[in-house]
Amino acid sequence: DANVTVTGNFVGSVVKTDTFSAAGIALGTPNYGTSRIANNSVSGVVANGTAGDFAGGIVVGSAGTTYAPTQIYFNSVSMTGARDSTTNATTGSYALAIIGANPNSDVRDNALSNTQTAANGGATNTAGSYAIGLTSIGLYNLFSSNFNDLYTSGVSSHFASVGVLASTTTAQVPFFDRGSFAAWKAETGTDSSSISADPQFTSATDLRPLGGSPLLGAGQSI
């Protein structure tokens, strides 16, 4: 993949009820050129996620090189509903997942909301719900993120993760999870002008903000 443009799409009802992963928009790792994912609406992505698999609204491979930046701008992602009714789900779900060491990704003006639940998704369990996740840990000098709304809520909320996307043991959860907006910002040094609030979408599938939404006027002109 190189110089990819994915814009202006409505993506929904991407459901995987058995094993394996599911993603609304997925981009492989580019080796050169500027790729852009912008102005997309993603909802209804559900996967129970057995070991090694996960659900992602937007999933991006991002190389740790200045020759292949990925721009993720003005997307709205809503991850809602129950992922399972038993304990089938063993890994997380992500509004945005970025795969790659020291990813060269610019994440701005996105509304990333995840309120999904899972029977195995409690605070110390493995099937948590995340607004954002990176496979990188400790390397963020090529990564930028700001003027976003990063929001999670509910009994399965884990907020953000670094280092791994498909944690499969409870021992890994406290090491990789950043369970609050403050912890995410402290880890990555990003999102100083972002917010963490219910985006107040019109519905689970209509991601236009309501009149009182905190998204209104909260972005940055690009």
Side-chain angles (χ1 to χ4, degrees):
D1 297 330
N3 295 311
V4 173
T5 299
V6 183
T7 59
N9 297 285
F10 291 88
V11 180
S13 297
V14 181
V15 179
K16 189 65 177 170
T17 56
D18 50 8
T19 59
F20 307 113
S21 298
I25 295 174
L27 173 65
T29 303
N31 293 314
Y32 65 91
T34 299
S35 296
R36 175 175 293 181
I37 298 174
N39 293 305
N40 299 288
S41 172
V42 181
S43 62
V45 180
V46 179
N48 61 32
T50 53
D53 301 305
F54 60 91
I58 298 175
V59 181
V60 173
S62 184
T65 172
T66 58
Y67 300 109
T70 300
Q71 301 167 337
I72 303 168
Y73 297 157
F74 292 106
N75 300 285
S76 294
V77 180
S78 178
M79 306 284 284
T80 61
R83 297 175 60 208
D84 63 7
S85 58
T86 57
T87 56
N88 293 328
T90 58
T91 57
S93 72
Y94 300 83
L96 172 62
I98 301 177
I99 301 169
N102 195 11
N104 187 0
S105 293
D106 184 19
V107 182
R108 279 189 283 169
D109 294 302
N110 301 281
L112 305 174
S113 174
N114 193 338
T115 61
Q116 286 187 340
T117 59
N120 195 32
T124 59
N125 290 337
T126 56
S129 298
Y130 301 85
I132 189 168
L134 308 176
T135 58
S136 181
I137 186 169
L139 286 173
Y140 312 113
N141 61 295
L142 296 179
F143 174 69
S144 58
S145 181
N146 212 0
F147 292 94
N148 302 294
D149 184 9
L150 307 177
Y151 179 71
T152 62
S153 181
V155 296
S156 298
S157 171
H158 288 212
F159 196 79
S161 71
V162 295
V164 68
L165 294 180
S167 177
T168 56
T169 69
T170 56
Q172 291 178 320
V173 170
F175 182 75
F176 294 116
D177 279 13
R178 302 298 179 262
S180 68
F181 187 34
W184 163 257
K185 291 191 290 185
E187 169 71 29
T188 60
T190 64
D191 287 298
S192 61
S193 297
S194 294
I195 61 174
S196 181
D198 185 343
Q200 297 180 32
F201 294 132
T202 298
S203 72
T205 57
D206 183 346
L207 305 191
R208 292 174 294 181
L210 294 171
S213 169
L215 301 179
L216 301 178
Q220 178 190 47
S221 179
I222 300 176

